[in-house]
Amino acid sequence: EAFDDSHCTAELAGSNGLSTLIAPHLGRRILLVEDEPINREIALELLHDAGLVVDTAENGKIAVDRSQANDYALILMDMRMPVMNGIESTQAIRTLPGHRSTPILAMTANAFDEDRAACIEAGMDDHVAKPVSPQRLYGILLRWLEARQAASPDRSRERTA
């Protein structure tokens, strides 16, 4: 289902917009799945600036392995990767114990309606077109981290040491 995140983006547009994300979600652990080193580095910088703890995976197979071993508050998933693509990885992660409701957000240069539909059909929760603006990324992260927290407040509030 498509989500209108305009209120999140507007909320983050102010001078202290990033603190809106940081304050309640500082230290939350997420997984960034991206095979392209430059894209991975840019996303890491944005995510670290938001106070998130980020594990990375260079392909979908590694993402499945890391998801099996960790409880992530959210997963950002590239679609086109070697070894296992984002669709296959998402489908595999959804079968793991504890990951039926983990927010998985596609990050891809494919912004066509059929690409969005394929992401949702595979079990992803949302679609972020690349290149993504920091405000848009933070708005979407805020929306899904808050949704995860509301759905399971005990597990999603866990912080890393």
Side-chain angles (χ1 to χ4, degrees):
E1 166 179 328
F3 171 71
D4 175 17
D5 66 347
S6 58
H7 74 283
C8 290
T9 303
E11 183 179 342
L12 291 168
S15 61
N16 68 346
L18 187 55
S19 65
T20 303
L21 178 63
I22 291 173
H25 302 291
L26 186 66
R28 301 282 296 279
R29 181 175 294 280
I30 70 167
L31 177 62
L32 170 64
V33 188
E34 171 64 64
D35 66 315
E36 178 60 44
I38 293 172
N39 291 342
R40 190 169 53 245
E41 191 61 36
I42 291 168
L44 270 172
E45 185 173 327
L46 292 171
L47 296 168
H48 286 150
D49 285 351
L52 299 169
V53 175
V54 185
D55 291 343
T56 61
E58 294 76 34
N59 65 57
K61 173 71 171 101
I62 296 170
V64 173
D65 293 343
R66 296 230 164 104
S67 296
Q68 196 164 20
N70 297 287
D71 180 31
Y72 292 109
L74 183 141
I75 299 171
L76 288 169
M77 180 76 69
D78 188 19
M79 295 303 295
R80 293 193 172 147
M81 299 174 288
V83 183
M84 181 184 277
N85 69 34
I87 298 283
E88 295 165 329
S89 179
T90 296
Q91 291 169 335
I93 290 169
R94 288 289 183 226
T95 67
L96 298 174
H99 285 289
R100 285 189 68 172
S101 64
T102 301
I104 301 177
L105 313 180
M107 285 187 63
T108 179
N110 302 324
F112 297 110
D113 287 340
E114 59 268 14
D115 295 316
R116 289 178 186 265
C119 293
I120 301 303
E121 188 176 314
M124 294 182 179
D125 296 290
D126 210 336
H127 180 279
V128 183
K130 291 190 286 189
V132 64
S133 74
Q135 283 185 338
R136 175 149 169 73
L137 177 62
Y138 294 146
I140 289 171
L141 288 172
L142 180 63
R143 189 249 181 185
W144 287 105
L145 287 171
E146 288 182 349
R148 170 71 182 232
Q149 186 172 310
S152 57
D154 293 335
R155 285 179 48 167
S156 64
R157 299 271 317 156
E158 290 178 2
R159 303 286 197 278
T160 58

